[in-house]
Amino acid sequence: MDCKLAVIKGDGIGPEVVTEAMKVLDKIGEIFGHTFDYEQILMGGCSIDATGVPLTDEAVAVAKSKDAVLLGSIGGNTSTSPWYQLPPNLRPEAGLLKIRKELGLFANLRPANLYEELKGACPLKEEIADRGFDMMIMRELTGGLYFGERSTEEINGVLTAHDNLIYNENEIRRIAIKGFDIAMKRRKKVTSVDKANVLDSSRLWRKVVEEVAKDYPEVTYEHMLVDNCAMQLVKDPAQFDVVLTENMFGDILSDEASMITGSIGMLASASLNETKFGMYEPSGGSAPDIAGQNKANPIATILSAAMMLRYTFDLDKEADAVEAAVKQVLKDGYRTCDIVSEGTTLVSCSEMGDLIAERIQ
Ligand code: NAD
């Protein structure tokens, strides 16, 4: 297969971790007979320095012309970097919001799984961590409370704020379809999370999810109230496969799920639109504190590239090979500084990339 990618290395550790992900993709290409064609575009602080804006329209056009975008991270130290003296619409993060909007990325996927070798970093009780977990939080990204009309006004001398939570059935249906499609590639279980005992938007969510579920007889599904889900994530995370939810609930639950894995440098993510197109990036930021030192953990970005193989290109075997190589490296005792522990071998960012690429088979 000929895979055409826009690559945004970005700021901070972005260039270091993306270089390692490209190394691993090239090894996949070599072994499985694919070509990865990369065109680099600028976004974030590096784009501000070069062009005066965090993302140019030309860069967006390049991204749109490709099959997928591989992104490192953007932004700098928010207290000291001159980028944060600029008006909000010219700061690095404005580039990220613009590209998500331009590419219509409405489905955010954040896997949270516990590696046997990193169980020590899991903050949950040992008997819960011992059961392990492997879930995918699917969050609706472009609707709901964060995008509804909002205002603050004084009513009868009292300051009053309101935020609107709006979903229409089409917005719910397209994310539900994605959720069930992704469950079909996993353990075929969907937990749809809402607050249907209180919210009308959640009752509509439930109704549409039930309609979509009819087209996926192999997938078992359940509804769960968001407050219960927050508890179940720490009590029995092993029960979850795909957790499907709206924007704000997903924002909170995906951070909770990340937290129980215990290691930010391991967390991949993807944002998809209605086609197979997606933008793939690590969940962490640009880590200015360790940038340029060849210390960052590239695994989150490498696992994001594996998600790209699976969800944009339907190359499941190749994605499995990347994930297996990551597991093997951890089993062999290699660690970057963020996950190092007694009895393991500390390696740099580029060494970690080499070790994973070597183990691809
Ligand atoms: P951060 O995720 O960059 O860093 C938090 C901590 O985690 C730091 O100690 C960092 O060293 C560590 N860390 C993160 N990724 C790591 C990795 N791969 N390997 C080893 N350690 C890692 O969060 P922050 O410090 O709050 O933000 C720094 C900058 O990143 C800000 O400008 C912020 O706006 C930006 N940011 C960008 C994105 C994105 O590009 N999508 C996401 C979050 C934050």
Side-chain angles (χ1 to χ4, degrees):
M1 187 182 275
D2 187 16
C3 308
K4 295 202 171 358
L5 309 183
V7 173
I8 304 175
K9 291 191 168 181
D11 306 315
I13 60 169
E16 300 164 53
V17 294
V18 171
T19 301
E20 299 316 308
M22 289 162 72
K23 191 185 277 175
V24 170
L25 284 175
D26 288 338
K27 189 64 189 285
I28 286 285
E30 205 179 288
I31 292 185
F32 292 88
H34 306 298
T35 53
F36 292 95
D37 175 49
Y38 309 106
E39 182 166 350
Q40 292 199 33
I41 54 178
L42 295 178
M43 187 171 86
C46 56
S47 174
I48 297 173
D49 291 346
T51 69
V53 292
L55 180 70
T56 62
D57 292 338
E58 292 74 29
V60 171
V62 171
K64 281 185 176 168
S65 71
K66 306 293 177 183
D67 302 315
V69 178
L70 180 64
L71 165 64
S73 49
I74 52 118
N77 184 317
T78 48
S79 324
T80 57
S81 164
W83 298 327
Y84 295 92
Q85 306 301 320
L86 297 165
N89 65 328
L90 289 179
R91 290 182 194 170
E93 286 69 18
L96 198 55
L97 297 180
K98 176 172 170 175
I99 201 163
R100 283 185 183 149
K101 188 162 174 247
E102 291 278 350
L103 299 175
L105 304 172
F106 67 87
N108 181 243
L109 280 70
R110 295 245 307 250
N113 55 336
L114 189 61
Y115 288 89
E116 179 70 31
E117 292 74 18
L118 301 181
K119 268 184 185 161
C122 173
L124 301 179
K125 277 188 183 161
E126 208 176 318
E127 70 252 33
I128 300 174
D130 276 346
R131 290 204 295 276
F133 53 85
D134 176 4
M135 72 186 93
M136 179 72 81
I137 309 282
M138 285 226 35
R139 164 188 174 193
E140 201 288 329
L141 205 55
T142 56
L145 200 58
Y146 297 173
F147 288 85
E149 251 177 55
R150 74 197 74 226
S151 71
T152 305
E153 59 198 309
E154 204 171 292
I155 302 176
N156 298 331
V158 180
L159 269 181
T160 308
H162 87 267
D163 297 280
N164 268 346
L165 199 181
I166 299 176
Y167 270 110
N168 69 42
E169 59 179 310
N170 299 333
E171 291 171 309
I172 301 171
R173 188 165 291 107
R174 64 181 186 177
I175 180 95
I177 290 170
K178 278 270 185 238
F180 280 82
D181 280 346
I182 280 161
M184 287 296 290
K185 281 181 174 268
R186 296 176 46 97
R187 300 195 309 281
K188 301 191 172 65
K189 180 179 176 194
V190 169
T191 304
S192 173
V193 176
D194 61 38
K195 188 73 183 168
N197 53 342
V198 179
L199 301 175
D200 259 28
S201 56
S202 282
R203 285 190 274 273
L204 180 62
W205 182 277
R206 220 172 245 223
K207 178 174 177 287
V208 175
V209 167
E210 278 170 13
E211 285 166 14
V212 170
K214 289 191 185 119
D215 294 331
Y216 296 83
E218 286 178 60
V219 178
T220 51
Y221 78 98
E222 61 182 353
H223 300 290
M224 189 177 279
L225 295 176
V226 61
D227 38 355
N228 185 26
C229 184
M231 291 191 284
Q232 294 298 328
L233 274 174
V234 290
K235 190 169 163 236
D236 179 18
Q239 70 184 285
F240 295 111
D241 179 16
V242 172
V243 175
L244 172 66
T245 192
E246 60 92 70
N247 202 343
M248 184 178 65
F249 297 160
D251 187 8
I252 298 166
L253 294 177
S254 61
D255 271 8
E256 186 186 355
S258 311
M259 192 55 224
I260 59 172
T261 68
S263 37
I264 193 165
M266 302 290 298
L267 297 169
S269 89
S271 303
L272 309 177
N273 70 12
E274 256 148 344
T275 68
K276 290 273 176 192
F277 187 94
M279 186 161 85
Y280 298 86
E281 57 178 311
S283 292
S286 60
D289 52 334
I290 56 165
Q293 300 171 41
N294 197 16
K295 273 164 82 171
N297 186 345
I299 294 180
T301 316
I302 290 169
L303 291 173
S304 303
M307 290 180 81
M308 179 176 76
L309 295 172
R310 196 180 299 286
Y311 297 119
T312 289
F313 298 111
D314 279 321
L315 297 173
D316 289 344
K317 200 161 35 87
E318 290 79 347
D320 289 345
V322 175
E323 289 166 3
V326 168
K327 278 197 186 118
Q328 192 57 48
V329 158
L330 295 175
K331 210 167 166 201
D332 293 343
Y334 296 106
R335 306 281 190 275
T336 42
C337 63
D338 55 320
I339 51 173
V340 73
S341 59
E342 219 183 302
T344 60
T345 309
L346 178 66
V347 295
S348 66
C349 178
S350 55
E351 283 167 337
M352 184 55 97
D354 289 339
L355 289 162
I356 293 169
E358 272 165 25
R359 283 162 179 73
I360 302 270
Q361 11 175 297

